[in-house]
Amino acid sequence: MQKLNSTPHQKLALPTPSADAMQASQQLQKLIRTEIANHGGVIPFSHYMEMALYTPRLGYYSGGSAKLGADGDFTTAPEMSSLFGATLAQVAQQLFTQTPAAILEFGAGTGKLAFDILSEYQDSNFPLNRYFIVELSGELRARQEQRLKDFPQVVWLSEMPAAFSGVVIGNEVLDAIPIELMMRTEHGWSRLGVAASDDPAESFKLISLHDQAEDIAHLIAQIPESESLPIGYISEVHPVEIGFMRSVAAMLLAGKAQSGLGGAALWLDYGFPAQEYYLPQRDKGTLMCHYRHHAHPDPFYLPGLQDITAHVDFTAIAIAGVEAGLDLLSYTSQASFLLSCGLTDVLKRIPVEDPQRYLPASNAVQKLTSPAEMGELFKVLLLGCDIELPISLAHNLARFDRSHKL
């Protein structure tokens, strides 16, 4: 193991947590230090990230603090406008001609996206059979149950079902899956781990792990032209995301075997194709943390109280899905996807003559589609299991398809 040459722990000008929140973070730090000690003084960064986000009652997604919206740490597209969910409902409804009328959403947050989709179907009298939610956070599930109490179609699951036919939706789910950190050294590529720090100003530190070359060859293979990148280059690879995508594919294929009907998986997240992800100038990777609407790069700041994310490598995700038996139906920017799927038509339902309703909705559309906001950074990947895009939807999406860039 080798300690990295790193700068001192950043003094971040962030809001001060409450005494209870600070105590919870300290408890989690103690658990992480114990886990590190039990594993010989170091754990992979993916293990640290998993504990920081998902430790029962103490992890970021398992604790009781608000995560989303004005009082949380970040705002997602569904929180901005109900037009987002209404548009996705229109897309799913077009796919239901080839699949059962069922949706499975991973990580439903506050339940806002589910609420907007279900409301759209309710208003149009569309008979959605089931809306499954796979949710690991007890706190978020409680909020979802309250928000969705008037929709009997909703069923909560604690884990991915073995088989499912219908439309899978994951909005900002992949970015929260633990990643491995990799660094190119003079001796080749090295996986990074987390150790307890001796510096009282720091809780933890990154160190190099001396893995056998053959044990991390599959990780290095995810990085295009890996040997041409500079010494000291750090970035993320996504083996857990790849495994998750293979499981989703297996679930849809099993659903097809049981029902005889296909399925689709729709992923919306921020990220890049591999050739853009691993650019030489992006030498510190994409790892980012979010705390009370402040973004910063320190994953060791108050574990359990902040989100830790990395951009999605859409090439790796698409390849995993295709190799597992799915078809690549579309890959494009969020702006192109939403506009191709009728976002502006949904906006037109609000009279321009009603500025109190129309102006906020119009501003939300601008944020969802502007290249300077979410429109370009966020991408949409649509994978299918024995289905074809309806002609009109296929025509609209084909104009902006970027599958050739994967």
Side-chain angles (χ1 to χ4, degrees):
M1 297 180 292
Q2 175 186 356
K3 181 178 179 179
L4 301 181
N5 294 322
S6 59
T7 56
H9 187 80
Q10 294 184 346
K11 295 181 180 179
L12 300 169
L14 298 176
T16 302
S18 67
D20 288 344
M22 180 64 78
Q23 183 181 27
S25 179
Q26 291 171 345
Q27 289 178 335
L28 179 57
Q29 291 177 51
K30 183 177 180 180
L31 287 178
I32 294 173
R33 290 192 190 97
T34 299
E35 188 74 1
I36 289 172
N38 291 340
H39 286 78
V42 62
I43 57 175
F45 184 84
S46 58
H47 192 167
Y48 167 82
M49 184 171 170
E50 180 182 12
M51 292 191 70
L53 297 180
Y54 299 109
T55 296
R57 298 183 304 280
L58 297 175
Y60 179 76
Y61 285 110
S62 304
S65 62
K67 312 297 188 294
L68 307 171
D71 296 328
D73 301 317
F74 53 89
T75 300
T76 63
E79 304 290 328
M80 291 182 183
S81 173
S82 61
L83 303 182
F84 180 81
T87 304
L88 296 193
Q90 296 292 322
V91 175
Q93 187 170 341
Q94 293 184 63
L95 297 174
F96 289 150
T97 59
Q98 303 172 70
T99 79
I103 289 175
L104 187 153
E105 183 182 0
F106 285 100
T110 64
K112 180 64 164 57
L113 178 57
F115 180 88
D116 293 336
I117 291 174
L118 289 162
S119 296
E120 176 74 9
Y121 291 148
Q122 185 178 70
D123 292 344
S124 63
N125 294 315
F126 178 79
L128 184 73
N129 295 331
R130 286 286 184 270
Y131 196 111
F132 297 99
I133 295 176
V134 179
E135 183 57 68
L136 302 180
S137 167
E139 181 266 336
L140 289 176
R141 173 169 172 170
R143 296 178 68 181
Q144 295 161 15
E145 289 175 342
Q146 178 62 30
R147 172 167 262 164
L148 303 173
K149 63 181 183 298
D150 295 328
F151 296 101
Q153 307 98 316
V154 182
V155 177
W156 278 268
L157 305 174
S158 58
E159 59 184 11
M160 186 188 306
F164 172 77
S165 292
V167 176
V168 174
I169 296 178
N171 180 61
E172 292 197 53
V173 169
L174 299 176
D175 64 89
I177 295 178
I179 51 87
E180 295 286 1
L181 278 181
M182 304 291 291
M183 182 177 71
R184 187 162 188 249
T185 73
E186 295 178 353
H187 307 290
W189 282 92
S190 175
R191 190 168 55 127
L192 300 183
V194 176
S197 177
D198 298 327
D199 187 340
E202 297 178 333
S203 300
F204 305 102
K205 61 187 178 185
L206 287 173
I207 63 174
S208 295
L209 300 174
H210 293 300
D211 296 302
Q212 296 296 317
E214 58 270 21
D215 293 335
I216 60 172
H218 67 292
L219 301 178
I220 301 170
Q222 296 176 36
I223 305 174
E225 302 178 16
S226 60
E227 297 309 308
S228 67
L229 294 171
I231 303 300
Y233 187 95
I234 295 177
S235 194
E236 309 87 23
V237 292
H238 307 78
V240 183
E241 285 181 20
I242 290 172
F244 172 72
M245 193 58 53
R246 290 170 178 161
S247 297
V248 170
M251 176 187 71
L252 290 174
L253 291 168
K256 165 66 177 177
Q258 286 186 9
S259 70
L261 296 173
L266 180 63
W267 308 101
L268 305 98
D269 226 312
Y270 46 91
F272 313 100
Q275 291 292 344
E276 297 176 21
Y277 199 110
Y278 300 103
L279 292 173
Q281 58 267 37
R282 193 172 283 120
D283 59 355
K284 294 297 184 293
T286 70
L287 193 73
M288 188 59 61
C289 305
H290 300 272
Y291 175 71
R292 304 277 291 277
H293 289 278
H294 292 72
H296 66 89
D298 186 355
F300 302 139
Y301 182 82
L302 298 179
L305 302 187
Q306 66 171 359
D307 195 14
I308 306 173
T309 72
H311 286 50
V312 176
D313 175 357
F314 278 100
T315 297
I317 299 306
I319 289 174
V322 170
E323 289 183 344
L326 301 183
D327 299 315
L328 174 59
L329 300 180
S330 178
Y331 169 70
T332 190
S333 68
Q334 177 173 287
S336 296
F337 182 84
L338 293 176
L339 294 173
S340 296
C341 295
L343 176 64
T344 53
D345 292 333
V346 178
L347 175 63
K348 289 177 183 177
R349 299 175 186 173
I350 305 174
V352 178
E353 297 78 15
D354 185 355
Q356 288 188 329
R357 293 175 57 212
Y358 184 83
L359 289 179
S362 178
N363 288 336
V365 168
Q366 192 274 337
K367 289 182 179 180
L368 291 171
T369 60
S370 169
E373 298 278 353
M374 299 176 70
E376 181 59 34
L377 178 59
F378 278 69
K379 309 299 193 306
V380 181
L381 177 68
L382 180 59
L383 299 170
C385 173
D386 197 34
I387 68 169
E388 296 181 358
L389 290 178
I391 294 176
S392 61
L393 182 60
H395 174 74
N396 291 339
L397 289 175
R399 294 180 297 163
F400 306 103
D401 189 69
R402 300 185 185 181
S403 297
H404 61 283
K405 293 188 175 182
L406 291 171

